[in-house]
Amino acid sequence: MHPVLRLDQVVKTYGTHRAVDEVSFAVPPATLFGLLGPNGAGKTSLIRIITAITRADSGNVYLNGDRLAGRHPQSIGYMPEERGLYKRMKVFDHLMYLARLKGLSKSFADEQINHWMDKFDIQDWGTKKVEELSKGMQQKIQFIATVMHQPKLLILDEPFSGLDPINTNLIKDEIHQLKESGTSIIFSTHRMEQVEAICEHIVLINQGRNILEGKLQDIKDTFKDNLFEVIYKGSLPPGLGDQFRITERSDHRVVIQLEEGKHSGALLQYMVNNQVQVTSFQEILPTLNDIFIKQVEASNTTLPEEMNL
Amino acid sequence: MQTLLLIIRREYLSRVTRRSFILGTLLTPLAFAALIAIVGVIFQYESDQTQRIAILDEGNVLKGVIKDENNLYFSFEEGPLDTLRKNLPETDYDALLYLPAIDDLMSNRLRAYYYSDDQPTPDVELMLRDRISGAVRDYKIDALNIERRQLEALDTRIELEPEPLTDNGADATRFTSAIAAAIGLGMGFIMYLTVFIYGVMVMRSVMEEKTSRIVEVMISSVKPFQLMLGKIIGVGGVGLTQVAVWAVLIPLLAGLAQLIFGIDPSNNPMLDSQSADFNPDDTQAMISMAMAEVASINWWMVLPLFILYFLGGFFIYSSLFAAVGSAIGDDTGEGQALTIPITIPVILALYIMIAVIQAPNSSLATWSSIFPLFSPIVMPARLAFGPPTWEVIVSLLVMIGFSLFLIWFAGRIYRVGILMYGKRASFKEIAKWLFVRE
């Protein structure tokens, strides 16, 4: 099966500034895909190339296996970070206008708008003017505008900025449902904890370059330090430090770093054999935040080779 | 195409249905009508003061000639002047008019006396002088035994009638240039106003879209060029609608106001006496000639051309305004500097238009009606003069070509400008945008 989206050596230069520098990655179908990077890394430039708002200087973009040529608003739903609505328009008219611009028929658009307004429980808002709505409410309208044409690929740029926790969860649920029904979602942000909670697949962009790409789980495995946390009752055998490397030690908690290639079972076996009452045994994986900061700093100082996993 | 139509439709309807537009469109003609009504009332106001004037007519010149009119009541008295003067305060007369007997028929001066504590108002004075002068004239004609028709024949009025030299030259009458100038001035001025009002409307709307960030959402579905063109056409439609409504309502309401409160030139003594050298029949003749002149202008040519120039001028300036609007962005305050290069040609065009009306066949007229930044304002002013056909065709072609070029040009700037936030761009940066690849 083709990836929904594939970028191949995409380059975009503004003046002397290389905003996108030979970026390649692929978005598999029905995936939550995180597009990460610090501010100014080139995320928005990249998205504008994918949505064909701007054209790449070189390299190719493939959408469902076909080379990108011209616009395709029907197959992509894009919610920009800087988003707004016509303040004086009525909510329903506004959604209808955006739907028609995306090429939807009147009756289908009508059906979709009603479906989503029912879903968000805002049927009464159709005749209100946009300027009468709260910011969170406007975000919901923008979300509807992004998904109502049932695109195969959604691009959400900082979708939760300005949303309260309740609405954040509401949108999160919708994102998951869309994913279940086969939509791929590119989720662009610099908020790591959100990515960690949502995404299965990530690409990390810094200074226009792709510095890390892969499945979230694989990346974590690669960057793990073989740290294991043991919580226990009673006392530890005195010879533990000779057998294993202890990195942290506190009351009834110890963190041990295993040598490369050593099985975690050996540690557990040792504990059991020495009558330690283990209440919890867990591998400590690096947070995405740690990986992100480490990688961004590394690439800023050394400009390393591309690290594709 | 479908997309463009949708954008045009929204841009048009969202403005036309706005309350401020409806009020502005309907209230402006009402304001015109009200102005005419008020002016009419003011002009009529003078005549509601009743005055009674006693006349001592020693030479029997005025009897039977001067009659009550416009709240002025006359009656003839007899007796010595001194007694009449002394007794006047006890009577209900406001004034005493004394006309001594005419001693010298050959003198062209005659003094009449107006005794009153109040000065005669200007209109009463003009009216009295006019009536006395007429009466004395009739009296002298009789006394000198002159044939009235001979006298009238002496007073020859010269009319200079312009005639075409060749067969295809425009046939003009002596009113042509005056009427054409009036129509030209009106058309030129309407062009100036509409280009400005609707050009700025386009600019505002572009800036609003940028500030409210809707443009990012729009751009993900439509091309920047479609959005810009749709906006320009939509706003242009709004302009045409407003001008069309005004073109119907202003003359209608103004005419109505004139009918109800109007100034009737025949009972306005001021107007009458000032133009004493032609009689009311002449005024009538002039009006009907002027009307004939207005009707003789080839409106089937002038009006469509006017609309073409309106569209051309509108496209030229509003695409410039759109480009500037996209470059100004968030800060409305300091961005005004960018509009100056656009406003200067508009204002220049207005002055050239005024000069051109006085010399519609000068080389200034020819060149400025070909130069596309001026022609949409200058050429409509010349249309009523019947400019040479080749000039109109060249001017139209240049204007259409230039507006197409400017729409393309503005589109280049616009597509970059709308996605730039923060500080406004310098001219140097804008020039760079022209060559940025998509």
Side-chain angles (χ1 to χ4, degrees):
Chain A
M1 200 170 179
H2 282 297
V4 173
L5 177 76
R6 187 160 73 81
L7 273 71
D8 183 22
Q9 300 284 306
V10 170
V11 175
K12 178 78 189 175
T13 314
Y14 292 107
T16 53
H17 173 61
R18 266 206 159 183
V20 178
D21 191 0
E22 296 185 359
V23 171
S24 306
F25 63 83
V27 180
T31 320
L32 276 162
F33 189 93
L35 175 60
L36 316 180
N39 292 322
K43 297 188 299 274
T44 303
S45 301
L46 204 53
I47 291 173
R48 284 184 180 164
I49 290 169
I50 298 169
T51 50
I53 290 172
T54 55
R55 207 178 300 156
D57 296 341
S58 66
N60 285 315
V61 179
Y62 299 90
L63 198 66
N64 296 315
D66 298 324
R67 226 181 104 182
L68 192 67
R71 301 222 150 203
H72 43 76
Q74 289 85 352
S75 41
I76 290 188
Y78 171 40
M79 185 157 92
E81 181 182 6
E82 300 281 3
R83 45 188 172 252
L85 296 164
Y86 288 111
K87 294 198 172 59
R88 292 206 179 115
M89 268 184 115
K90 289 183 177 148
V91 171
F92 185 88
D93 295 346
H94 202 315
L95 285 171
M96 181 55 92
Y97 178 54
L98 292 173
R100 300 276 284 143
L101 286 181
K102 283 176 175 143
L104 266 61
S105 75
K106 215 170 192 167
S107 56
F108 184 69
D110 193 78
E111 202 178 282
Q112 282 295 309
I113 295 168
N114 283 321
H115 164 76
W116 280 100
M117 289 182 79
D118 274 353
K119 204 163 192 178
F120 285 161
D121 206 21
I122 50 171
Q123 303 93 322
D124 307 341
W125 294 78
T127 53
K128 292 217 168 156
K129 283 190 178 170
V130 170
E131 59 194 351
E132 295 170 50
L133 306 187
S134 70
K135 200 169 174 221
M137 198 59 96
Q138 292 189 23
Q139 297 257 50
K140 281 187 195 170
I141 306 298
Q142 277 149 353
F143 185 78
I144 295 176
T146 314
V147 299
M148 62 189 166
H149 56 302
Q150 302 181 331
K152 276 272 153 252
L153 178 63
L154 268 187
I155 302 175
L156 308 175
D157 198 348
E158 300 288 356
F160 305 125
S161 69
L163 277 185
D164 61 44
I166 294 169
N167 282 321
T168 302
N169 279 336
L170 188 81
I171 301 285
K172 252 184 213 167
D173 288 348
E174 291 307 327
I175 291 175
H176 279 295
Q177 281 184 33
L178 284 165
K179 188 217 132 183
E180 290 309 316
S181 65
T183 311
S184 286
I185 295 136
I186 296 180
F187 182 49
S188 166
T189 186
H190 57 267
R191 305 270 307 271
M192 291 307 131
E193 75 284 0
Q194 289 177 353
V195 179
E196 207 150 14
I198 294 177
C199 296
E200 305 147 294
H201 211 104
I202 63 160
V203 60
L204 176 56
I205 306 281
N206 189 40
Q207 297 185 338
R209 312 193 91 195
N210 171 355
I211 57 173
L212 191 62
E213 189 214 334
K215 281 194 174 159
L216 187 61
Q217 200 54 51
D218 295 349
I219 287 174
K220 285 194 164 188
D221 281 346
T222 311
F223 286 90
K224 71 184 174 186
D225 295 320
N226 291 321
L227 291 174
F228 289 85
E229 180 199 59
V230 183
I231 298 174
Y232 59 92
K233 280 183 184 161
S235 60
L236 289 174
L240 179 73
D242 305 331
Q243 296 268 342
F244 299 97
R245 203 174 148 247
I246 299 171
T247 58
E248 258 184 86
R249 189 170 191 162
S250 56
D251 199 22
H252 298 298
R253 177 176 176 275
V254 66
V255 177
I256 288 158
Q257 184 167 38
L258 292 180
E259 284 161 38
E260 196 71 47
K262 205 162 188 183
H263 202 267
S264 61
L267 173 61
L268 194 56
Q269 189 77 52
Y270 176 84
M271 292 286 184
V272 173
N273 291 346
N274 287 281
Q275 266 87 50
V276 181
Q277 266 194 60
V278 176
T279 55
S280 158
F281 185 86
Q282 187 185 358
E283 181 170 20
I284 299 180
L285 287 173
T287 63
L288 195 52
N289 207 35
D290 298 335
I291 300 172
F292 178 86
I293 291 170
K294 229 187 236 171
Q295 289 301 303
V296 167
E297 278 173 354
S299 77
N300 282 349
T301 49
T302 61
L303 281 172
E305 297 290 299
E306 249 169 277
M307 295 179 65
N308 277 313
L309 297 166
Chain B
M1 202 58 210
Q2 169 78 6
T3 313
L4 186 62
L5 285 178
L6 281 166
I7 297 171
I8 294 172
R9 198 171 148 248
R10 195 205 81 88
E11 295 290 337
Y12 179 80
L13 287 179
S14 72
R15 285 186 175 73
V16 168
T17 53
R18 213 171 278 173
R19 196 175 297 142
S20 57
F21 174 83
I22 297 172
L23 284 180
T25 309
L26 296 181
L27 285 186
T28 310
L30 273 180
F32 264 95
L35 189 74
I36 286 169
I38 290 167
V39 168
V41 167
I42 291 170
F43 264 105
Q44 284 193 331
Y45 181 73
E46 56 191 343
S47 48
D48 67 352
Q49 187 192 2
T50 308
Q51 275 196 311
R52 302 176 59 83
I53 297 173
I55 298 177
L56 177 58
D57 184 16
E58 278 186 347
N60 269 332
V61 174
L62 298 175
K63 197 152 252 173
V65 178
I66 199 160
K67 291 187 182 91
D68 298 344
E69 59 179 299
N70 280 357
N71 294 326
L72 282 177
Y73 298 97
F74 302 103
S75 61
F76 291 88
E77 296 287 335
E78 300 289 337
L81 177 65
D82 287 345
T83 328
L84 285 175
R85 262 180 71 186
K86 215 173 283 163
N87 293 340
L88 198 69
E90 277 92 70
T91 63
D92 53 356
Y93 291 121
D94 298 294
L96 170 66
L97 179 70
Y98 167 55
L99 185 69
I102 297 173
D103 302 327
D104 181 5
L105 282 175
M106 300 310 283
S107 163
N108 64 354
R109 304 189 65 125
L110 180 65
R111 185 164 292 174
Y113 299 88
Y114 184 85
Y115 295 103
S116 174
D117 286 334
D118 302 318
Q119 289 280 319
T121 57
D123 60 314
V124 167
E125 189 191 330
L126 279 166
M127 186 264 180
L128 287 176
R129 271 172 37 195
D130 182 58
R131 298 297 178 267
I132 294 169
S133 153
V136 170
R137 184 183 159 91
D138 289 346
Y139 176 83
K140 282 182 178 176
I141 289 172
D142 280 348
L144 291 170
N145 233 339
I146 302 171
E147 191 75 31
R148 194 176 286 265
R149 276 182 53 211
Q150 286 176 344
L151 193 70
E152 273 168 14
L154 285 178
D155 189 14
T156 315
R157 194 189 314 278
I158 306 301
E159 292 168 6
L160 189 64
E161 182 74 19
E163 285 295 330
L165 193 57
T166 54
D167 284 343
N168 52 7
D171 187 10
T173 69
R174 64 199 169 104
F175 286 106
T176 304
S177 64
I179 297 290
I183 292 171
L185 195 70
M187 283 198 167
F189 208 72
I190 290 174
M191 287 299 301
Y192 166 79
L193 278 181
T194 46
V195 158
F196 237 120
I197 293 173
Y198 299 108
V200 169
M201 200 185 264
V202 168
M203 182 178 79
R204 283 260 167 78
S205 151
V206 170
M207 280 160 57
E208 244 176 60
E209 280 182 355
K210 213 178 149 180
T211 315
S212 73
R213 302 290 194 256
I214 175 69
V215 73
E216 284 259 3
V217 178
M218 291 295 291
I219 288 312
S220 66
S221 312
V222 305
K223 286 191 180 130
F225 187 73
Q226 290 174 319
L227 184 58
M228 186 190 82
L229 192 62
K231 182 177 295 297
I232 290 175
I233 295 176
V235 174
V238 175
L240 274 182
T241 308
Q242 195 159 46
V243 171
V245 171
W246 286 349
V248 174
L249 277 190
I250 290 180
L252 201 77
L253 286 178
L256 215 64
Q258 212 157 15
L259 268 183
I260 299 171
F261 306 96
I263 323 147
D264 180 3
S266 60
N267 66 14
N268 186 328
M270 191 99 81
L271 202 73
D272 253 5
S273 340
Q274 268 168 358
S275 47
D277 61 330
F278 51 76
N279 56 45
D281 294 342
D282 263 357
T283 321
Q284 285 300 316
M286 260 184 68
I287 291 172
S288 64
M289 261 183 106
M291 294 300 281
E293 197 57 54
V294 171
S296 81
I297 288 174
N298 189 356
W299 289 104
W300 292 110
M301 272 301 272
V302 171
L303 280 184
L305 280 176
F306 179 80
I307 290 173
L308 273 182
Y309 279 103
F310 173 86
L311 290 176
F314 175 75
F315 274 113
I316 287 173
Y317 281 102
S318 58
S319 46
L320 284 174
F321 273 117
V324 164
S326 77
I328 290 180
D330 312 86
D331 52 342
T332 43
E334 60 172 301
Q336 296 303 330
L338 284 172
T339 64
I340 290 173
I342 308 177
T343 41
I344 286 175
V346 183
I347 292 167
L348 269 182
L350 179 73
Y351 283 109
I352 292 174
M353 183 269 283
I354 291 168
V356 158
I357 279 175
Q358 282 148 54
N361 296 314
S362 60
S363 57
L364 174 72
T366 307
W367 290 114
S368 60
S369 34
I370 288 172
F371 184 64
L373 281 177
F374 298 153
S375 64
I377 291 173
V378 174
M379 202 47 156
R382 289 179 67 202
L383 287 177
F385 290 99
T389 315
W390 72 267
E391 274 187 38
V392 178
I393 291 171
V394 170
S395 146
L396 268 180
L397 287 180
V398 172
M399 182 185 73
I400 291 169
F402 188 67
S403 43
L404 291 178
F405 165 75
L406 265 190
I407 290 169
W408 170 85
F409 173 88
R412 302 283 295 177
I413 295 175
Y414 180 87
R415 83 209 149 109
V416 183
I418 46 168
L419 294 176
M420 297 271 174
Y421 300 119
K423 67 179 178 64
R424 85 175 155 86
S426 67
F427 283 115
K428 206 175 142 196
E429 280 172 276
I430 294 174
K432 268 191 206 153
W433 294 353
L434 282 176
F435 306 104
V436 168
R437 279 190 59 194
E438 251 171 58

